[in-house]
C-alpha cells in the first residue's frame, strides 16, 4: 500500500509540474483587474488569452463615470448661484452644454483656487472652468483650451475717491486685497503692491467695501457685473487696467479633453450658442472668435 501511495503521489507531482511549465496563458478569470474599470481597455487575441491595458484618455474616463466635475469659485458673471442655489453664469452654462454634448451629467465643485492643479491631478475635479487667465504658470501645469474671452485685471476703489486713482503710480501706496493664486496676485507682485491674500475675488470686494483694504484687483468681466449702479456694490468702481489677458479652460496635463472642448467651442461659436449665452450675461463684446 505504501508503494502504491508513493507512486500515486509521484504521478500527481509530475502532472502538476507539467501544468506549471505549460506555455499556455493564465485563464482570464484568474487575472487581477485594476480597481478603476473606467481606466482600462481589453484586447483579445486569437486564443483564450486576454490582455488588460490602461488608457490615458480623460475623455473616456469622464464618459465612463458619467459625470463632468467642474472646479469653480464664485465669480459673477462666469460662475455664481441664483436664488434657487443653481450654478449659472457664462462658464457654468457653457459647461452644462459641453457635458450634454458628451452625454454626461455636470457637477460644480467649489475649490480653493490656489490648489486647482492639485484638485485636477488628484481627480477630485475633471476641469477648471472659472474665468481662468492663460498665463505661463497655468499653461505649464495644465492642458488648456483655446482662449475664449478677452480680459484684464483692474483696480477697484471706492467711487468717491476714484478721481485720485487713475494711474498705476497713484495706487502704488494702497493696501490691496487679492485672490490667492490668481492673476490679480500676479499683477500685484509685478507692480510691487502691498496686498493681503483672500479666498476669492468676491471677498476682495467685501474687503474694500468694509474699508479693511484700500483697493482690490479683480477681473474686468467680474467688475463689470458686480460693482457700480444697480449692483450689490454701488459705491465701488474700477479705474486702472493693469494688463491684457485671455481666459481658457484647464484639464490635467496631457488630457485629450482639451481638444474635445476646442471642437465644441468651434461648433458652439459657429451655431451662435456661445454668443447667445454671452449676451445673456452682457459680456458678448469680449468673446474671442473660435
Amino acid at each position: 500500500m505504501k508503494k502504491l501511495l508513493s507512486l500515486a503521489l509521484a504521478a500527481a507531482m509530475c502532472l502538476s509540474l507539467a501544468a506549471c511549465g505549460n506555455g499556455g496563458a493564465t485563464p482570464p478569470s484568474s487575472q487581477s483587474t485594476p480597481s478603476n474599470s473606467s481606466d482600462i481597455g481589453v484586447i483579445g487575441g486569437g486564443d483564450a488569452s486576454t490582455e488588460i491595458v490602461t488608457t490615458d484618455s480623460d475623455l473616456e474616463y469622464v464618459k465612463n463615470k458619467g459625470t463632468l466635475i467642474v472646479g469653480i469659485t464664485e465669480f459673477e458673471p462666469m460662475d455664481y448661484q441664483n436664488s434657487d442655489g443653481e450654478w449659472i453664469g457664462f462658464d457654468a452654462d457653457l459647461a452644462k452644454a459641453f457635458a450634454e454634448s458628451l452625454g454626461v451629467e455636470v457637477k460644480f465643485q467649489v475649490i480653493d483656487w490656489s490648489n486647482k492643479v492639485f484638485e485636477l491631478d488628484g481627480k477630485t475635479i475633471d476641469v477648471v472652468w472659472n474665468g481662468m487667465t492663460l498665463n505661463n504658470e497655468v499653461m505649464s501645469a495644465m492642458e488648456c483650451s483655446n482662449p475664449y474671452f478677452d480680459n484684464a485685471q483692474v483696480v477697484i476703489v471706492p467711487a468717491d475717491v476714484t478721481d485720485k486713482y487713475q494711474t498705476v503710480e497713484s495706487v502704488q501706496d494702497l493696501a490691496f486685497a487679492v485672490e490667492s493664486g490668481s492673476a490679480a496676485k500676479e499683477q500685484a507682485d509685478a507692480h510691487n503692491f502691498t496686498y493681503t491674500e483672500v479666498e476669492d475675488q468676491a471677498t476682495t470686494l467685501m474687503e474694500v467695501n468694509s474699508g479693511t483694504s484700500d483697493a482690490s484687483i479683480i477681473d474686468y468681466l467680474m467688475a463689470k457685473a458686480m460693482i457700480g449702479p444697480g449692483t450689490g456694490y454701488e459705491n465701488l468702481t474700477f479705474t486702472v487696467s493693469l494688463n491684457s489677458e485671455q481666459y481658457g479652460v484647464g484639464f490635467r496635463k496631457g488630457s485629450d479633453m482639451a481638444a474635445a472642448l476646442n471642437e465644441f467651442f468651434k461648433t458652439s461659436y459657429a451655431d451662435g450658442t456661445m454668443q447667445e449665452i454671452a449676451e445673456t450675461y452682457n459680456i458678448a463684446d469680449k468673446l474671442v472668435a473660435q
Side-chain angles (χ1 to χ4, degrees):
M1 288 295 294
K2 288 181 180 180
K3 289 182 179 179
L4 288 173
L5 285 172
S6 297
L7 288 170
L9 287 171
M13 288 179 65
C14 289
L15 288 171
S16 175
L17 289 171
C20 292
N22 194 333
T26 305
S29 60
S30 67
Q31 292 183 359
S32 61
T33 302
S35 58
N36 187 349
S37 60
S38 64
D39 286 343
I40 63 171
V42 180
I43 302 175
D47 56 15
S49 66
T50 302
E51 181 183 358
I52 300 179
V53 296
T54 60
T55 176
D56 293 326
S57 173
D58 256 5
L59 185 59
E60 291 306 312
Y61 167 70
V62 167
K63 286 183 176 181
N64 286 336
K65 69 188 179 77
T67 308
L68 178 71
I69 304 177
V70 183
I72 60 171
T73 64
E74 187 172 351
F75 175 10
E76 188 176 352
M78 310 311 278
D79 294 297
Y80 64 102
Q81 289 177 292
N82 63 16
S83 57
D84 296 325
E86 177 190 3
W87 285 101
I88 61 172
F90 178 82
D91 280 349
D93 290 0
L94 203 58
K96 292 173 188 176
F98 178 56
E100 184 179 354
S101 75
L102 299 179
V104 301
E105 300 294 323
V106 67
K107 177 182 177 183
F108 296 99
Q109 184 165 310
V110 176
I111 61 172
D112 180 336
W113 192 246
S114 60
N115 290 333
K116 53 188 176 293
V117 176
F118 297 106
E119 297 275 7
L120 273 179
D121 291 345
K123 289 194 172 183
T124 55
I125 61 174
D126 299 310
V127 56
V128 177
W129 199 334
N130 192 73
M132 182 176 66
T133 300
L134 292 174
N135 56 28
N136 290 335
E137 181 181 356
V138 162
M139 296 181 73
S140 64
M142 304 182 200
E143 197 70 28
C144 296
S145 72
N146 294 333
Y148 65 98
F149 255 110
D150 288 321
N151 187 49
Q153 297 298 312
V154 295
V155 174
I156 307 299
V157 295
D160 60 358
V161 297
T162 184
D163 291 345
K164 296 170 57 177
Y165 303 113
Q166 295 294 319
T167 66
V168 173
E169 292 75 18
S170 67
V171 301
Q172 195 69 47
D173 295 328
L174 298 181
F176 285 85
V178 299
E179 180 183 40
S180 179
S182 67
K185 178 182 179 298
E186 186 178 278
Q187 287 301 311
D189 286 331
H191 290 88
N192 295 313
F193 294 156
T194 299
Y195 62 84
T196 299
E197 295 183 58
V198 297
E199 182 180 6
D200 54 34
Q201 294 189 87
T203 303
T204 72
L205 297 179
M206 294 173 60
E207 292 277 317
V208 180
N209 194 54
S210 67
T212 308
S213 297
D214 300 324
S216 75
I217 304 170
I218 66 171
D219 293 70
Y220 165 77
L221 288 174
M222 184 179 194
K224 188 175 178 181
M226 290 193 68
I227 67 173
T231 71
Y233 294 103
E234 291 190 353
N235 62 320
L236 301 182
T237 189
F238 63 90
T239 57
V240 183
S241 179
L242 299 174
N243 70 340
S244 178
E245 61 192 32
Q246 292 184 313
Y247 285 162
V249 178
F251 300 93
R252 284 177 278 277
K253 196 66 178 175
S255 174
D256 55 354
M257 289 285 285
L261 181 59
N262 287 338
E263 287 302 312
F264 172 78
F265 277 172
K266 290 178 183 177
T267 301
S268 59
Y269 188 87
D271 66 18
T273 300
M274 287 184 77
Q275 295 90 324
E276 183 179 347
I277 296 174
E279 286 168 3
T280 301
Y281 300 99
N282 195 29
I283 55 175
D285 59 315
K286 294 295 183 179
L287 195 62
V288 174
Q290 301 296 306

